Every structure is written in structure tokens, then in C-alpha cells.
Amino acid sequence: TDVACINAASMALTLSDIPWNGPVGAMRLAVLDGKMVLDPSIDQIAEAEFNLLYACTADRSLMIEASGTNGGVSDGVFAAALQKAHAAAVQLIPPQVRLAAKMGKPKRD
């Protein structure tokens, strides 16, 4: 639900007249049995050896929240997870921009 809340708040702010430096995209990624899973279920998160909540703008990271079990994952897996989460999260930004162009309010000063 935290991912949906971040993305929904971004969309709401993007459509509103409130000035801000968005939109943003958020994605959760879990590593299960050595495989990366985007948008894992609650059960998958509970079983994961690594869990990542990631939020970004189109060109930079904004939030990285991670946890691991049994020693977590290697630096290489962590870096690959960040790249995969970023690639997925940025795909959520263009639809927000397109909807704001059609339905958004002009930003106030």
C-alpha cells in the first residue's frame, strides 16, 4: 500500500495547483531465491531475503528503503536492484505528466 500511496500522492500533486518538484514514481522490489520480483505480494515480501522500496523523479533517486535477512544481498545485487527499481518506477511518471497536461490545474506562484 505504501507504493500506491506514494504514486497516488504524486498524481494528486501533479494535477493540483500546488507547486512542487514532481512527479515521482515508486516501486517495491523483492529478492526471492536470488530472483528479483517487481511489485511483490505481501507474502513474497515476508519471504524475501531482500526488500526494497524505491522512489524517484525521472532522473534521480529520492528515497531508498531496504531491509534484508540472513546477511542480505551482495553489493552487486543491491546495485542491480536499484537499477531495476528505478527503471520500473520512472515508467510511472510519463502517464502522470500526460494526465496533468489534459486535466491538471496551472501551478500557482
Side-chain angles (χ1 to χ4, degrees):
T1 61
D2 46 7
V3 171
C5 290
I6 294 167
N7 289 316
S10 176
M11 184 75 260
L13 286 168
T14 299
L15 288 171
S16 78
D17 64 347
I18 300 169
W20 77 299
N21 293 325
V24 303
M27 181 58 63
R28 183 172 294 279
L29 180 145
V31 176
L32 294 153
D33 299 321
K35 296 181 183 167
M36 292 185 199
V37 177
L38 288 170
D39 196 22
S41 69
I42 292 171
D43 291 338
Q44 288 175 314
I45 293 168
E47 298 293 321
E49 59 247 36
F50 179 72
N51 175 34
L52 173 69
L53 174 60
Y54 180 86
C56 63
T57 63
D59 60 353
R60 63 180 49 160
S61 299
L62 295 176
M63 181 183 74
I64 300 168
E65 185 178 301
S67 63
T69 60
N70 300 327
V73 295
S74 69
D75 292 347
V77 171
F78 184 77
L82 289 173
Q83 290 174 342
K84 187 167 185 154
H86 182 83
V90 297
Q91 292 180 24
L92 302 172
I93 296 171
Q96 295 179 59
V97 172
R98 287 192 301 271
L99 186 59
K102 291 181 183 178
M103 301 182 69
K105 295 180 179 180
K107 298 296 183 192
R108 58 182 140 156
D109 294 329

